[in-house]
Amino acid sequence: MAYIAQYSQRPGAVSSRWVDDVSVSKKKERYHILTNDLIKSSLNHNSKMVGKTYRVLIRGKERKEKYLSGLTEGRINVRIYSSDINLVGKILDVQISSASEFSVAGELVESNRN
């Protein structure tokens, strides 16, 4: 994960004294290059997670009904097929079944359900 932003002066910041000599169009071009590289890299990394099991902190309900959301130790967002709100706050094993650019999806491992 990376946080990418285009530079803009902030009053009071030390950097506001610097000359901003990069054009807006050049900033946008660089921003898009970095974003595209991040998307490719992230999808590649997340795709390698498919089929593997990870410890996931269950954080809460997903926007999509019947799903919970969580985070791996590496802070990858995980969508889990379950609507059991009692799992929130627990760290459980989740087998990853699919990947997208910035998240993965999976199902609880059977041993968690005891």
Side-chain angles (χ1 to χ4, degrees), residues 16-57:
S16 68
R17 292 180 253 157
W18 302 341
V19 176
D20 185 5
D21 59 352
V22 178
S23 69
V24 172
S25 63
K26 190 62 160 175
K27 289 178 188 178
K28 286 182 180 182
E29 177 187 342
R30 291 175 179 174
Y31 177 84
H32 290 296
I33 289 169
L34 288 171
T35 300
N36 288 334
D37 283 349
L38 176 61
I39 288 169
K40 283 188 248 176
S41 175
S42 179
L43 180 58
N44 181 44
H45 178 272
N46 291 350
S47 294
K48 291 176 183 175
M49 296 174 70
V50 174
K52 297 177 183 170
T53 299
Y54 292 85
R55 302 287 286 160
V56 174
L57 170 62

mmCIF file of all heavy atoms in Angstrom, residues 16-57:
data_model
loop_
_atom_site.group_PDB
_atom_site.id
_atom_site.type_symbol
_atom_site.label_atom_id
_atom_site.label_comp_id
_atom_site.label_asym_id
_atom_site.label_seq_id
_atom_site.Cartn_x
_atom_site.Cartn_y
_atom_site.Cartn_z
ATOM 1 N N SER A 16 6.206 25.331 2.111
ATOM 2 C CA SER A 16 5.530 26.447 1.430
ATOM 3 C C SER A 16 6.519 27.527 1.010
ATOM 4 O O SER A 16 6.203 28.367 0.168
ATOM 5 C CB SER A 16 4.440 27.044 2.330
ATOM 6 O OG SER A 16 5.013 27.688 3.451
ATOM 7 N N ARG A 17 7.731 27.472 1.549
ATOM 8 C CA ARG A 17 8.773 28.430 1.152
ATOM 9 C C ARG A 17 9.526 27.977 -0.096
ATOM 10 O O ARG A 17 10.301 28.738 -0.650
ATOM 11 C CB ARG A 17 9.761 28.628 2.303
ATOM 12 C CG ARG A 17 9.126 29.350 3.484
ATOM 13 C CD ARG A 17 10.110 29.529 4.608
ATOM 14 N NE ARG A 17 9.713 28.592 5.660
ATOM 15 C CZ ARG A 17 10.498 28.112 6.600
ATOM 16 N NH1 ARG A 17 11.750 28.454 6.654
ATOM 17 N NH2 ARG A 17 10.035 27.276 7.498
ATOM 18 N N TRP A 18 9.314 26.761 -0.513
ATOM 19 C CA TRP A 18 10.011 26.239 -1.685
ATOM 20 C C TRP A 18 9.301 26.682 -2.954
ATOM 21 O O TRP A 18 8.083 26.882 -2.977
ATOM 22 C CB TRP A 18 10.059 24.714 -1.659
ATOM 23 C CG TRP A 18 10.712 24.124 -0.441
ATOM 24 C CD1 TRP A 18 11.563 24.740 0.435
ATOM 25 C CD2 TRP A 18 10.539 22.801 0.045
ATOM 26 N NE1 TRP A 18 11.940 23.888 1.425
ATOM 27 C CE2 TRP A 18 11.336 22.680 1.219
ATOM 28 C CE3 TRP A 18 9.822 21.708 -0.375
ATOM 29 C CZ2 TRP A 18 11.410 21.509 1.945
ATOM 30 C CZ3 TRP A 18 9.891 20.537 0.351
ATOM 31 C CH2 TRP A 18 10.680 20.437 1.491
ATOM 32 N N VAL A 19 10.050 26.769 -4.021
ATOM 33 C CA VAL A 19 9.472 27.103 -5.319
ATOM 34 C C VAL A 19 8.822 25.844 -5.885
ATOM 35 O O VAL A 19 9.441 24.779 -5.938
ATOM 36 C CB VAL A 19 10.562 27.620 -6.287
ATOM 37 C CG1 VAL A 19 9.978 27.873 -7.666
ATOM 38 C CG2 VAL A 19 11.204 28.876 -5.734
ATOM 39 N N ASP A 20 7.580 25.960 -6.265
ATOM 40 C CA ASP A 20 6.863 24.839 -6.883
ATOM 41 C C ASP A 20 7.088 24.940 -8.392
ATOM 42 O O ASP A 20 6.357 25.620 -9.092
ATOM 43 C CB ASP A 20 5.378 24.909 -6.534
ATOM 44 C CG ASP A 20 4.594 23.707 -7.055
ATOM 45 O OD1 ASP A 20 5.222 22.777 -7.609
ATOM 46 O OD2 ASP A 20 3.368 23.705 -6.902
ATOM 47 N N ASP A 21 8.111 24.254 -8.879
ATOM 48 C CA ASP A 21 8.503 24.386 -10.280
ATOM 49 C C ASP A 21 8.043 23.219 -11.156
ATOM 50 O O ASP A 21 8.538 23.036 -12.262
ATOM 51 C CB ASP A 21 10.014 24.564 -10.390
ATOM 52 C CG ASP A 21 10.788 23.401 -9.783
ATOM 53 O OD1 ASP A 21 10.162 22.529 -9.141
ATOM 54 O OD2 ASP A 21 12.021 23.360 -9.937
ATOM 55 N N VAL A 22 7.081 22.438 -10.678
ATOM 56 C CA VAL A 22 6.547 21.320 -11.461
ATOM 57 C C VAL A 22 5.124 21.691 -11.885
ATOM 58 O O VAL A 22 4.280 22.034 -11.061
ATOM 59 C CB VAL A 22 6.550 20.012 -10.643
ATOM 60 C CG1 VAL A 22 5.962 18.870 -11.444
ATOM 61 C CG2 VAL A 22 7.951 19.680 -10.163
ATOM 62 N N SER A 23 4.876 21.598 -13.182
ATOM 63 C CA SER A 23 3.563 21.978 -13.705
ATOM 64 C C SER A 23 2.477 21.002 -13.236
ATOM 65 O O SER A 23 2.764 19.847 -12.912
ATOM 66 C CB SER A 23 3.584 22.001 -15.232
ATOM 67 O OG SER A 23 3.711 20.677 -15.730
ATOM 68 N N VAL A 24 1.248 21.483 -13.205
ATOM 69 C CA VAL A 24 0.114 20.649 -12.804
ATOM 70 C C VAL A 24 -0.008 19.442 -13.732
ATOM 71 O O VAL A 24 -0.256 18.318 -13.273
ATOM 72 C CB VAL A 24 -1.197 21.473 -12.797
ATOM 73 C CG1 VAL A 24 -2.394 20.565 -12.570
ATOM 74 C CG2 VAL A 24 -1.136 22.552 -11.726
ATOM 75 N N SER A 25 0.191 19.639 -15.017
ATOM 76 C CA SER A 25 0.076 18.509 -15.956
ATOM 77 C C SER A 25 1.152 17.452 -15.686
ATOM 78 O O SER A 25 0.888 16.257 -15.782
ATOM 79 C CB SER A 25 0.147 18.994 -17.403
ATOM 80 O OG SER A 25 1.393 19.590 -17.678
ATOM 81 N N LYS A 26 2.360 17.888 -15.319
ATOM 82 C CA LYS A 26 3.444 16.944 -15.005
ATOM 83 C C LYS A 26 3.117 16.195 -13.708
ATOM 84 O O LYS A 26 3.348 14.995 -13.597
ATOM 85 C CB LYS A 26 4.774 17.682 -14.886
ATOM 86 C CG LYS A 26 5.962 16.764 -14.811
ATOM 87 C CD LYS A 26 6.060 15.945 -16.078
ATOM 88 C CE LYS A 26 7.424 15.392 -16.291
ATOM 89 N NZ LYS A 26 7.473 14.503 -17.449
ATOM 90 N N LYS A 27 2.553 16.900 -12.728
ATOM 91 C CA LYS A 27 2.152 16.251 -11.476
ATOM 92 C C LYS A 27 1.106 15.184 -11.743
ATOM 93 O O LYS A 27 1.170 14.078 -11.196
ATOM 94 C CB LYS A 27 1.605 17.280 -10.494
ATOM 95 C CG LYS A 27 2.640 18.209 -9.919
ATOM 96 C CD LYS A 27 1.987 19.230 -9.004
ATOM 97 C CE LYS A 27 2.959 20.301 -8.573
ATOM 98 N NZ LYS A 27 2.341 21.312 -7.728
ATOM 99 N N LYS A 28 0.129 15.509 -12.581
ATOM 100 C CA LYS A 28 -0.926 14.538 -12.910
ATOM 101 C C LYS A 28 -0.344 13.328 -13.625
ATOM 102 O O LYS A 28 -0.723 12.191 -13.343
ATOM 103 C CB LYS A 28 -2.003 15.197 -13.774
ATOM 104 C CG LYS A 28 -2.896 16.124 -13.002
ATOM 105 C CD LYS A 28 -3.985 16.715 -13.882
ATOM 106 C CE LYS A 28 -4.863 17.651 -13.070
ATOM 107 N NZ LYS A 28 -5.951 18.206 -13.859
ATOM 108 N N GLU A 29 0.569 13.571 -14.554
ATOM 109 C CA GLU A 29 1.206 12.472 -15.289
ATOM 110 C C GLU A 29 1.943 11.549 -14.326
ATOM 111 O O GLU A 29 1.792 10.318 -14.370
ATOM 112 C CB GLU A 29 2.184 13.042 -16.318
ATOM 113 C CG GLU A 29 2.943 11.992 -17.085
ATOM 114 C CD GLU A 29 4.034 12.595 -17.979
ATOM 115 O OE1 GLU A 29 3.992 13.807 -18.263
ATOM 116 O OE2 GLU A 29 4.934 11.830 -18.357
ATOM 117 N N ARG A 30 2.732 12.109 -13.426
ATOM 118 C CA ARG A 30 3.486 11.316 -12.445
ATOM 119 C C ARG A 30 2.543 10.566 -11.507
ATOM 120 O O ARG A 30 2.776 9.404 -11.174
ATOM 121 C CB ARG A 30 4.413 12.218 -11.639
ATOM 122 C CG ARG A 30 5.558 12.777 -12.453
ATOM 123 C CD ARG A 30 6.368 13.759 -11.647
ATOM 124 N NE ARG A 30 7.489 14.278 -12.418
ATOM 125 C CZ ARG A 30 8.296 15.244 -11.988
ATOM 126 N NH1 ARG A 30 8.121 15.771 -10.778
ATOM 127 N NH2 ARG A 30 9.279 15.656 -12.741
ATOM 128 N N TYR A 31 1.477 11.236 -11.093
ATOM 129 C CA TYR A 31 0.483 10.625 -10.222
ATOM 130 C C TYR A 31 -0.128 9.380 -10.884
ATOM 131 O O TYR A 31 -0.242 8.328 -10.260
ATOM 132 C CB TYR A 31 -0.614 11.642 -9.883
ATOM 133 C CG TYR A 31 -1.730 11.091 -9.047
ATOM 134 C CD1 TYR A 31 -1.617 11.015 -7.666
ATOM 135 C CD2 TYR A 31 -2.910 10.643 -9.631
ATOM 136 C CE1 TYR A 31 -2.650 10.511 -6.891
ATOM 137 C CE2 TYR A 31 -3.938 10.136 -8.860
ATOM 138 C CZ TYR A 31 -3.798 10.073 -7.495
ATOM 139 O OH TYR A 31 -4.810 9.563 -6.732
ATOM 140 N N HIS A 32 -0.489 9.493 -12.146
ATOM 141 C CA HIS A 32 -1.095 8.361 -12.859
ATOM 142 C C HIS A 32 -0.097 7.223 -13.060
ATOM 143 O O HIS A 32 -0.468 6.048 -12.955
ATOM 144 C CB HIS A 32 -1.701 8.823 -14.186
ATOM 145 C CG HIS A 32 -2.923 9.671 -14.007
ATOM 146 N ND1 HIS A 32 -4.089 9.198 -13.445
ATOM 147 C CD2 HIS A 32 -3.153 10.972 -14.284
ATOM 148 C CE1 HIS A 32 -4.981 10.152 -13.382
ATOM 149 N NE2 HIS A 32 -4.438 11.257 -13.878
ATOM 150 N N ILE A 33 1.139 7.545 -13.330
ATOM 151 C CA ILE A 33 2.167 6.504 -13.483
ATOM 152 C C ILE A 33 2.316 5.735 -12.166
ATOM 153 O O ILE A 33 2.314 4.493 -12.147
ATOM 154 C CB ILE A 33 3.516 7.119 -13.910
ATOM 155 C CG1 ILE A 33 3.439 7.607 -15.354
ATOM 156 C CG2 ILE A 33 4.653 6.108 -13.748
ATOM 157 C CD1 ILE A 33 4.614 8.467 -15.793
ATOM 158 N N LEU A 34 2.444 6.463 -11.059
ATOM 159 C CA LEU A 34 2.590 5.811 -9.759
ATOM 160 C C LEU A 34 1.358 4.984 -9.394
ATOM 161 O O LEU A 34 1.472 3.864 -8.886
ATOM 162 C CB LEU A 34 2.855 6.849 -8.669
ATOM 163 C CG LEU A 34 4.232 7.494 -8.685
ATOM 164 C CD1 LEU A 34 4.284 8.665 -7.702
ATOM 165 C CD2 LEU A 34 5.302 6.480 -8.364
ATOM 166 N N THR A 35 0.182 5.530 -9.647
ATOM 167 C CA THR A 35 -1.058 4.819 -9.333
ATOM 168 C C THR A 35 -1.165 3.527 -10.143
ATOM 169 O O THR A 35 -1.515 2.473 -9.600
ATOM 170 C CB THR A 35 -2.277 5.721 -9.593
ATOM 171 O OG1 THR A 35 -2.169 6.882 -8.760
ATOM 172 C CG2 THR A 35 -3.577 4.998 -9.270
ATOM 173 N N ASN A 36 -0.858 3.587 -11.429
ATOM 174 C CA ASN A 36 -0.915 2.378 -12.265
ATOM 175 C C ASN A 36 0.089 1.332 -11.804
ATOM 176 O O ASN A 36 -0.220 0.136 -11.778
ATOM 177 C CB ASN A 36 -0.699 2.735 -13.728
ATOM 178 C CG ASN A 36 -1.889 3.451 -14.330
ATOM 179 O OD1 ASN A 36 -3.020 3.285 -13.869
ATOM 180 N ND2 ASN A 36 -1.650 4.267 -15.326
ATOM 181 N N ASP A 37 1.287 1.767 -11.425
ATOM 182 C CA ASP A 37 2.282 0.816 -10.903
ATOM 183 C C ASP A 37 1.800 0.186 -9.598
ATOM 184 O O ASP A 37 1.974 -1.011 -9.378
ATOM 185 C CB ASP A 37 3.629 1.505 -10.684
ATOM 186 C CG ASP A 37 4.397 1.740 -11.964
ATOM 187 O OD1 ASP A 37 4.001 1.199 -13.019
ATOM 188 O OD2 ASP A 37 5.406 2.477 -11.917
ATOM 189 N N LEU A 38 1.194 0.998 -8.738
ATOM 190 C CA LEU A 38 0.672 0.484 -7.474
ATOM 191 C C LEU A 38 -0.420 -0.552 -7.721
ATOM 192 O O LEU A 38 -0.441 -1.607 -7.081
ATOM 193 C CB LEU A 38 0.126 1.625 -6.617
ATOM 194 C CG LEU A 38 -0.533 1.221 -5.301
ATOM 195 C CD1 LEU A 38 0.451 0.505 -4.384
ATOM 196 C CD2 LEU A 38 -1.127 2.431 -4.609
ATOM 197 N N ILE A 39 -1.317 -0.282 -8.645
ATOM 198 C CA ILE A 39 -2.405 -1.211 -8.954
ATOM 199 C C ILE A 39 -1.848 -2.550 -9.441
ATOM 200 O O ILE A 39 -2.255 -3.613 -8.981
ATOM 201 C CB ILE A 39 -3.372 -0.594 -9.979
ATOM 202 C CG1 ILE A 39 -4.194 0.516 -9.313
ATOM 203 C CG2 ILE A 39 -4.282 -1.653 -10.603
ATOM 204 C CD1 ILE A 39 -4.995 1.364 -10.278
ATOM 205 N N LYS A 40 -0.880 -2.500 -10.364
ATOM 206 C CA LYS A 40 -0.284 -3.740 -10.889
ATOM 207 C C LYS A 40 0.423 -4.516 -9.783
ATOM 208 O O LYS A 40 0.262 -5.727 -9.653
ATOM 209 C CB LYS A 40 0.702 -3.421 -12.008
ATOM 210 C CG LYS A 40 0.067 -3.077 -13.325
ATOM 211 C CD LYS A 40 1.119 -2.962 -14.403
ATOM 212 C CE LYS A 40 1.204 -1.527 -14.836
ATOM 213 N NZ LYS A 40 2.230 -1.240 -15.808
ATOM 214 N N SER A 41 1.207 -3.820 -8.992
ATOM 215 C CA SER A 41 1.966 -4.459 -7.920
ATOM 216 C C SER A 41 1.036 -5.064 -6.872
ATOM 217 O O SER A 41 1.232 -6.197 -6.419
ATOM 218 C CB SER A 41 2.886 -3.424 -7.274
ATOM 219 O OG SER A 41 3.540 -3.970 -6.167
ATOM 220 N N SER A 42 0.024 -4.316 -6.492
ATOM 221 C CA SER A 42 -0.920 -4.774 -5.478
ATOM 222 C C SER A 42 -1.705 -5.994 -5.966
ATOM 223 O O SER A 42 -1.871 -6.961 -5.230
ATOM 224 C CB SER A 42 -1.866 -3.629 -5.122
ATOM 225 O OG SER A 42 -2.794 -4.048 -4.167
ATOM 226 N N LEU A 43 -2.190 -5.950 -7.200
ATOM 227 C CA LEU A 43 -2.933 -7.092 -7.746
ATOM 228 C C LEU A 43 -2.037 -8.327 -7.812
ATOM 229 O O LEU A 43 -2.463 -9.427 -7.465
ATOM 230 C CB LEU A 43 -3.512 -6.759 -9.117
ATOM 231 C CG LEU A 43 -4.314 -7.881 -9.765
ATOM 232 C CD1 LEU A 43 -5.480 -8.303 -8.881
ATOM 233 C CD2 LEU A 43 -4.818 -7.445 -11.137
ATOM 234 N N ASN A 44 -0.797 -8.141 -8.215
ATOM 235 C CA ASN A 44 0.148 -9.253 -8.274
ATOM 236 C C ASN A 44 0.338 -9.863 -6.879
ATOM 237 O O ASN A 44 0.270 -11.083 -6.712
ATOM 238 C CB ASN A 44 1.482 -8.778 -8.843
ATOM 239 C CG ASN A 44 2.498 -9.885 -8.951
ATOM 240 O OD1 ASN A 44 2.188 -10.986 -9.383
ATOM 241 N ND2 ASN A 44 3.721 -9.606 -8.556
ATOM 242 N N HIS A 45 0.555 -9.014 -5.885
ATOM 243 C CA HIS A 45 0.741 -9.489 -4.512
ATOM 244 C C HIS A 45 -0.512 -10.197 -4.001
ATOM 245 O O HIS A 45 -0.445 -11.294 -3.449
ATOM 246 C CB HIS A 45 1.083 -8.313 -3.594
ATOM 247 C CG HIS A 45 1.244 -8.702 -2.167
ATOM 248 N ND1 HIS A 45 0.188 -8.750 -1.290
ATOM 249 C CD2 HIS A 45 2.328 -9.091 -1.460
ATOM 250 C CE1 HIS A 45 0.616 -9.140 -0.110
ATOM 251 N NE2 HIS A 45 1.909 -9.343 -0.178
ATOM 252 N N ASN A 46 -1.672 -9.562 -4.173
ATOM 253 C CA ASN A 46 -2.921 -10.127 -3.661
ATOM 254 C C ASN A 46 -3.277 -11.437 -4.351
ATOM 255 O O ASN A 46 -3.813 -12.354 -3.725
ATOM 256 C CB ASN A 46 -4.059 -9.122 -3.788
ATOM 257 C CG ASN A 46 -3.894 -7.935 -2.858
ATOM 258 O OD1 ASN A 46 -3.025 -7.935 -1.985
ATOM 259 N ND2 ASN A 46 -4.701 -6.919 -3.053
ATOM 260 N N SER A 47 -2.985 -11.549 -5.629
ATOM 261 C CA SER A 47 -3.276 -12.783 -6.374
ATOM 262 C C SER A 47 -2.496 -13.969 -5.819
ATOM 263 O O SER A 47 -2.977 -15.105 -5.838
ATOM 264 C CB SER A 47 -2.952 -12.603 -7.851
ATOM 265 O OG SER A 47 -3.819 -11.654 -8.419
ATOM 266 N N LYS A 48 -1.311 -13.711 -5.319
ATOM 267 C CA LYS A 48 -0.493 -14.780 -4.731
ATOM 268 C C LYS A 48 -1.066 -15.282 -3.409
ATOM 269 O O LYS A 48 -0.676 -16.332 -2.915
ATOM 270 C CB LYS A 48 0.938 -14.292 -4.525
ATOM 271 C CG LYS A 48 1.676 -14.076 -5.833
ATOM 272 C CD LYS A 48 3.063 -13.509 -5.602
ATOM 273 C CE LYS A 48 3.744 -13.248 -6.940
ATOM 274 N NZ LYS A 48 5.045 -12.584 -6.768
ATOM 275 N N MET A 49 -2.000 -14.536 -2.841
ATOM 276 C CA MET A 49 -2.626 -14.935 -1.578
ATOM 277 C C MET A 49 -3.731 -15.969 -1.779
ATOM 278 O O MET A 49 -4.079 -16.695 -0.845
ATOM 279 C CB MET A 49 -3.216 -13.707 -0.874
ATOM 280 C CG MET A 49 -2.182 -12.679 -0.443
ATOM 281 S SD MET A 49 -2.928 -11.171 0.233
ATOM 282 C CE MET A 49 -3.592 -11.780 1.779
ATOM 283 N N VAL A 50 -4.277 -16.054 -2.984
ATOM 284 C CA VAL A 50 -5.404 -16.947 -3.258
ATOM 285 C C VAL A 50 -5.013 -18.398 -2.976
ATOM 286 O O VAL A 50 -3.954 -18.870 -3.382
ATOM 287 C CB VAL A 50 -5.903 -16.783 -4.710
ATOM 288 C CG1 VAL A 50 -6.976 -17.807 -5.051
ATOM 289 C CG2 VAL A 50 -6.417 -15.365 -4.937
ATOM 290 N N GLY A 51 -5.895 -19.073 -2.225
ATOM 291 C CA GLY A 51 -5.666 -20.471 -1.867
ATOM 292 C C GLY A 51 -4.944 -20.654 -0.545
ATOM 293 O O GLY A 51 -4.876 -21.759 -0.013
ATOM 294 N N LYS A 52 -4.406 -19.571 -0.007
ATOM 295 C CA LYS A 52 -3.681 -19.643 1.252
ATOM 296 C C LYS A 52 -4.574 -19.164 2.398
ATOM 297 O O LYS A 52 -5.550 -18.470 2.193
ATOM 298 C CB LYS A 52 -2.414 -18.799 1.189
ATOM 299 C CG LYS A 52 -1.429 -19.301 0.146
ATOM 300 C CD LYS A 52 -0.223 -18.408 0.069
ATOM 301 C CE LYS A 52 0.714 -18.890 -1.050
ATOM 302 N NZ LYS A 52 1.769 -17.917 -1.300
ATOM 303 N N THR A 53 -4.178 -19.541 3.616
ATOM 304 C CA THR A 53 -4.933 -19.166 4.804
ATOM 305 C C THR A 53 -4.141 -18.135 5.599
ATOM 306 O O THR A 53 -2.933 -18.280 5.778
ATOM 307 C CB THR A 53 -5.210 -20.410 5.671
ATOM 308 O OG1 THR A 53 -5.985 -21.331 4.893
ATOM 309 C CG2 THR A 53 -5.975 -20.059 6.931
ATOM 310 N N TYR A 54 -4.847 -17.102 6.055
ATOM 311 C CA TYR A 54 -4.233 -16.009 6.808
ATOM 312 C C TYR A 54 -5.018 -15.743 8.082
ATOM 313 O O TYR A 54 -6.224 -15.934 8.125
ATOM 314 C CB TYR A 54 -4.213 -14.716 5.968
ATOM 315 C CG TYR A 54 -3.279 -14.800 4.798
ATOM 316 C CD1 TYR A 54 -3.694 -15.360 3.592
ATOM 317 C CD2 TYR A 54 -1.974 -14.344 4.895
ATOM 318 C CE1 TYR A 54 -2.830 -15.467 2.524
ATOM 319 C CE2 TYR A 54 -1.104 -14.436 3.821
ATOM 320 C CZ TYR A 54 -1.532 -14.997 2.644
ATOM 321 O OH TYR A 54 -0.682 -15.103 1.577
ATOM 322 N N ARG A 55 -4.309 -15.256 9.100
ATOM 323 C CA ARG A 55 -4.949 -14.784 10.325
ATOM 324 C C ARG A 55 -5.520 -13.408 10.013
ATOM 325 O O ARG A 55 -4.820 -12.550 9.468
ATOM 326 C CB ARG A 55 -3.941 -14.680 11.468
ATOM 327 C CG ARG A 55 -3.227 -15.988 11.791
ATOM 328 C CD ARG A 55 -4.083 -16.987 12.494
ATOM 329 N NE ARG A 55 -4.283 -16.578 13.896
ATOM 330 C CZ ARG A 55 -5.266 -17.031 14.639
ATOM 331 N NH1 ARG A 55 -6.143 -17.881 14.156
ATOM 332 N NH2 ARG A 55 -5.407 -16.632 15.881
ATOM 333 N N VAL A 56 -6.783 -13.206 10.359
ATOM 334 C CA VAL A 56 -7.471 -11.966 10.007
ATOM 335 C C VAL A 56 -8.190 -11.417 11.239
ATOM 336 O O VAL A 56 -8.909 -12.145 11.921
ATOM 337 C CB VAL A 56 -8.489 -12.218 8.865
ATOM 338 C CG1 VAL A 56 -9.321 -10.978 8.591
ATOM 339 C CG2 VAL A 56 -7.768 -12.679 7.603
ATOM 340 N N LEU A 57 -7.983 -10.135 11.507
ATOM 341 C CA LEU A 57 -8.721 -9.445 12.551
ATOM 342 C C LEU A 57 -10.059 -9.028 11.956
ATOM 343 O O LEU A 57 -10.104 -8.257 10.995
ATOM 344 C CB LEU A 57 -7.964 -8.203 13.032
ATOM 345 C CG LEU A 57 -8.744 -7.260 13.962
ATOM 346 C CD1 LEU A 57 -9.135 -7.966 15.262
ATOM 347 C CD2 LEU A 57 -7.936 -6.000 14.235
#
